[in-house]
Structures are given as structure tokens and as C-alpha cells.
Amino acid sequence: MPASPLPLGTIALDSGAELPLYRQLYDALREAILEGRLHPGARLPSSRTLAGDLGVGRNTVLAAYDQLTAEGYLEGQVGAGTLVAATLPDSLLQLDRQASPRRTEPPASNARTLSKRGEALSASRRLAPAYKRGLGQPFQHGLPAIDEFPAMLWSRLLARHSRDTRNGHFGYEVGFGVPALREAIAAYAGAARGVVCSADQVIVTVGAQGALDLTARMLLDPGDPVWIEEPGYLGARGALAGAGAQLTPVPVDAEGIDVEAGIARQPSPKLIYVTPSHQFPLGATLSLPRRLALLEHARQSGAWILEDDYDSEYRYQGRPIPSLQGLDRAGTVIYMGTFAKTLFPALKIGYLIVPQNLVDAFATAIRITGHVPPSAVQAALADFIGEGHFGSHVRRMRALYASRRACLIRALEGELSPWLNVAPGEGGLQLSAYLPDKTDDRAVAAAATQAGLFISPLALYRLEEGRPGLYMGYASVPEAALERAATRLAEILHSGNWPRFT
């Protein structure tokens, strides 16, 4: 069978275009096939012949033919050359559409829906504020100074564990963490945070949210009562609500979570979620009497305590407060940490330190759920900690963040003082500031966001009515930008272009 004549006049290849020549030829041939100008069974010219006709290299034609063959538009037959396929892939994709008319309304029955847990998780997503990607925007919270991270050093450590296929990091991951990283985390948490543990109690997870989700799966059944701080962390609220827990908001004051109020509201929680070192978002440190009261109530009631120590490294006055876990003698505390704030969020490595009687269950479950970061990244992080780079970086960042925090506080105590009052707190990457009573903090935050200031209202973190205020990050923003942003916020507050104080 002679080769079918190609409509060469319709194939215009441009060597100066961004699209590669082979892709231009692929597009032209596919279009000719779909439009019927090349019909099923038609034989195409040899690659050498077509290359000569078009004035391109033979490899260009071969690449286009290979791609079309892989996608089912062409087929090769011994002795017959390259033919247009008898049945085209696009025809197969259209069969169902041609057989069934399009529905204009959703079906009345057999509707596919999310599970109750899926609905809860989806609903929690709508609570979170949206931020631009990249470096920090003015007052964006939760983001460290990524531009200060030693990226070249990190890339060398990562390459060290990524270039050799014999080192075990290219196979299936170790279920609950690379041993070297678990050893490093246990040593660091013990020295810096007073955590009492061995390396076998460390479970490495995909970030803090992976740790929250795993804990909720393992310890909670639908309907179980859970204490959460009020106001409190949205990520924890979403993970716990997604597990079907009945959330009991417990008020927070200058001493942290109010244990007596929690007992009055729900005396028998299954789990108590707290941020005792630096309460999210108000910044309070849980006092020693309340720490002891919380541990005692957990012991008596049979509750688990999930201690989220998300940014305790950054405390700017006095020595860091030892962890709640270090005071626990009854095995009630699960300690949770993350490297998102100390290094960078995209690292996606968090960890749990669980009581000895939970180790086997959590280690087995994490293999099933897949909350496991890549082994090479874990190994690089182990080196970063073990070789002293982590401690050096944290010390340098602590000084930088302290300076940026002082800059923001000067603005809050100066040009912003008629409207905002700084909440107590001694550390972290962000702070809260209170607005006058009955202010609509959501409206203020919305006006600020429209002006490019990424501020969250405290109402966002509440399940109940409470004192209005703004949650403001400073860690990722240089001081000059913080000063400009504070001036812009003062202009917004002074303008009154949002619901007024009542």
C-alpha cells in the first residue's frame, strides 16, 4: 500500500518557536487524524521521507511518531510501516458521551457524597486564611524567615543522601522514621525541652498536620469529647473535628488553659489538646500550677494530653519553660513538634514522642496511613541536627526574630496604640493585639487584607464570642517593611473604612 499523501501545506514548523519542532509536528499530525484528513488505516511516509519533505532532522519525525504511537493514534506493522490506528483513543473517550445525554440536574438518588469525616475535613478548610506563596507578606503569621535559611548547606546534605542508590534511601521508607533522625530528635528534645524519652518513642510524620491526623485516628472514636483551647489552633480543630470528636472549647487567660473551667464544661475528655509553651494564638505560657493540675486531671480521668510544642525555640525573655511531657509521670502526654517554624514549612517533617505503650500501635499505623517523609530528606535533617547546624541556625534566628518583634511592638505602643493593645507573651513568630471591645475584628482584618496586610482576626480562632483582636506575624518581614505596614494599618484604623466601634 503506498503511503497516503500528507497535507504538507498545512504543516508549518517554526524553528524559532518556543514549542519544540517534534511537538509542532505531533500537534499537526494529531489534528489531521482527528479532523479526518488522515483516515484510520492510512499509511504514513517513512520517517526519513517525511524529514526530507519538511526539511527537519529524522529524529524530529521519529519523536513525533513515537509519541503518537504511545498515545494510540498510530500503530506500527511489520512490513507495512506506520499506520493511523483503526480505533482512535479520542473515539473511545467519546463513546460514553455519545451513548448518554448530558444530565442537566443532579440525580435524585444514588448520589455520591463525602463521608461525614470528609465533610468535616472539607468544612475546616474554609476556615483557614489564604496567603500568597513565597516569602512573607506583611503580618503573615506562621512563616519563618525562609530567605535566611542556609540553602546551600542544606542542598549539600541532601545531595549526600540522594546520589547513592546503595544507601537504602531509594527503597521503601522506614515506617516510623530513619533511625539517625529519631536519635537526633530524642537527643534534641531531651536537652532543649526537658522531654524524657528514648529514640524508639519518636515517630516521624509528614509535618504537624500528619502528626495531628495520626493521633486523632489512633485515639479517638466519633463522639469522643476533646478539650481544645479557646481561642485555638485551626489545624488542630480541623483534624479533631474531622475525626468526629465532640469539641469542648476551654477558655485561655494569662496563665494558659483554664483547667477548672475545662473540668466544669467536660469532666471526662478523651483527649486534651494544648499549646502550653506558647499558646496559639494569644501567646500565654501555661503556669506551673496549671500544668500540674492538668496532668493530675488527665491521670484521674484517663485522658490523653497532646502537647503541641510548635515554636518553643523562640522565647526572648528568660529560659525556655520545660515541656509538659517532662513533668508527666503517668504516661498521659504525647509530645508533638515540627521543623516548619525553625527551618521551613515545605520540609514537611514533624514528629510525635509517644508513651512506650503506644509505640508499636503508632509505628504500625503510620506504615498504613503513609504519613512518612522521604528517607533521604530525613537523613539530611539528621545530619543538619547532628553536625550542629540546627542549633546554630536557631540561635541566629532567635536574635533576628527578637529584633523584628521589638520593631512591631514599638509600632503597637506608638502609632497603633490608640487602637491596639499587645497581648502578653514572650516568644514565637507572631503576636496578638487586642482591639477595643465590640470591634468587628473580621471587618478590620478584611480591610487590612485588601491593602496587602495579611492579618487574621482572633474571631477566626474562636468557637465562642470573645475579646476582639488581630493576629500579626513578624518573623518573615524585614523591619523596614514592618514599619511601613504598621503605618498603613494605622491609616486603615484611623480611616474607619470598616464597621466602627460601638
Side-chain angles (χ1 to χ4, degrees):
M1 178 190 303
S4 296
L6 285 176
L8 295 180
T10 65
I11 299 179
L13 305 183
D14 181 3
S15 60
E18 292 186 6
L19 199 64
L21 288 174
Y22 89 89
R23 185 70 194 193
Q24 296 178 45
L25 178 57
Y26 160 89
D27 289 341
L29 292 174
R30 180 176 180 274
E31 182 179 356
I33 292 170
L34 293 176
E35 292 180 354
R37 289 180 280 122
L38 284 174
H39 55 81
R43 184 163 66 88
L44 272 63
S46 69
S47 58
R48 191 181 306 278
T49 299
L50 184 55
D53 291 341
L54 295 176
V56 297
R58 187 185 176 199
N59 285 340
T60 297
V61 179
L62 287 172
Y65 278 10
D66 287 346
Q67 184 65 32
L68 289 164
T69 301
E71 294 181 9
Y73 293 99
L74 300 180
E75 56 188 24
Q77 294 184 5
V78 178
T82 302
L83 310 178
V84 177
T87 302
L88 301 180
D90 296 73
S91 300
L92 294 174
L93 293 173
Q94 296 294 328
L95 285 178
D96 184 60
R97 298 180 187 176
Q98 295 171 0
S100 302
R102 177 176 295 180
R103 293 181 183 271
T104 57
E105 297 181 0
S109 60
N110 296 325
R112 294 176 175 84
T113 61
L114 294 173
S115 67
K116 290 183 179 179
R117 178 169 184 170
E119 290 283 1
L121 288 170
S122 178
S124 68
R125 181 180 182 273
R126 295 193 295 270
L127 296 173
Y131 296 120
K132 294 181 180 179
R133 294 184 179 274
L135 299 181
Q137 309 299 316
F139 302 132
Q140 179 177 345
H141 68 79
L143 188 67
I146 298 173
D147 54 329
E148 296 288 338
F149 180 73
M152 293 302 295
L153 169 63
W154 173 254
S155 66
R156 289 197 297 272
L157 295 176
L158 190 58
R160 176 189 298 172
H161 296 282
S162 300
R163 66 168 63 100
D164 187 356
T165 59
R166 297 170 297 178
N167 61 16
H169 299 314
F170 287 76
Y172 289 105
E173 70 279 350
V174 177
F176 45 96
V178 169
L181 180 57
R182 296 166 67 213
E183 291 280 358
I185 289 172
Y188 166 75
R193 302 296 303 121
V195 172
V196 180
C197 72
S198 59
D200 67 332
Q201 292 174 254
V202 177
I203 309 290
V204 180
T205 66
V206 179
Q209 286 304 126
L212 281 165
D213 182 65
L214 180 64
T215 303
R217 288 179 191 235
M218 295 302 293
L219 301 183
L220 297 176
D221 291 314
D224 280 344
V226 172
W227 286 10
I228 59 169
E229 297 167 323
E230 172 66 14
Y233 177 48
L234 286 177
R237 188 201 305 179
L240 296 169
Q246 293 296 315
L247 304 182
T248 298
V250 181
V252 172
D253 59 23
E255 292 188 66
I257 192 170
D258 187 337
V259 180
E260 292 301 320
I263 295 172
R265 292 185 176 202
Q266 172 50 259
S268 302
K270 182 69 176 295
L271 179 78
I272 299 170
Y273 171 82
V274 287
T275 53
S277 297
H278 182 229
Q279 199 276 330
F280 184 102
L282 299 184
T285 299
L286 189 62
S287 66
L288 181 58
R290 289 199 181 172
R291 287 172 185 250
L292 298 176
L294 185 63
L295 288 168
E296 178 60 19
H297 183 68
R299 185 188 67 80
Q300 292 182 2
S301 65
W304 295 103
I305 297 175
L306 179 56
E307 177 182 11
D308 186 351
D309 209 18
Y310 66 99
D311 68 356
S312 62
E313 290 84 0
Y314 299 123
R315 184 178 175 87
Y316 311 119
Q317 297 178 12
R319 294 183 60 81
I321 304 298
S323 67
L324 192 64
Q325 193 268 4
L327 298 174
D328 180 26
R329 297 295 179 267
T332 63
V333 178
I334 298 167
Y335 181 90
M336 184 178 112
T338 176
F339 293 96
K341 307 298 188 294
T342 49
L343 300 182
F344 56 94
L347 183 63
K348 286 293 183 184
I349 292 184
Y351 57 91
L352 294 166
I353 297 177
V354 302
Q356 197 69 52
N357 62 327
L358 293 181
V359 168
D360 288 343
F362 272 64
T364 300
I366 202 167
R367 293 188 180 98
I368 303 300
T369 59
H371 288 311
V372 184
S375 296
V377 178
Q378 293 188 52
L381 179 56
D383 288 350
F384 192 82
I385 298 171
E387 294 175 8
H389 309 302
F390 179 77
S392 175
H393 179 67
V394 168
R395 287 190 294 273
R396 190 166 65 89
M397 291 299 97
R398 187 182 292 124
L400 176 67
Y401 297 156
S403 179
R404 291 179 176 181
R405 175 185 173 84
C407 176
L408 178 55
I409 289 178
R410 285 195 300 270
L412 287 164
E413 293 176 344
E415 60 185 325
L416 290 169
S417 61
W419 303 280
L420 289 165
N421 182 28
V422 182
E426 299 175 345
L429 308 183
Q430 51 270 319
L431 55 78
S432 289
Y434 292 116
L435 288 159
D437 290 342
K438 298 184 179 180
T439 305
D440 186 346
D441 56 3
R442 290 182 182 271
V444 175
T449 299
Q450 287 186 349
L453 307 179
F454 292 82
I455 297 176
S456 295
L458 288 183
L460 181 68
Y461 307 106
R462 297 186 186 276
L463 291 174
E464 302 174 336
E465 292 295 323
R467 190 174 180 183
L470 303 177
Y471 194 46
M472 309 170 70
Y474 50 80
S476 62
V477 186
E479 290 182 32
L482 282 173
E483 291 170 352
R484 291 192 299 270
T487 298
R488 180 68 185 117
L489 179 59
E491 293 171 351
I492 293 168
L493 290 166
H494 181 72
S495 72
N497 291 330
W498 41 273
R500 299 291 294 168
F501 307 145
T502 58

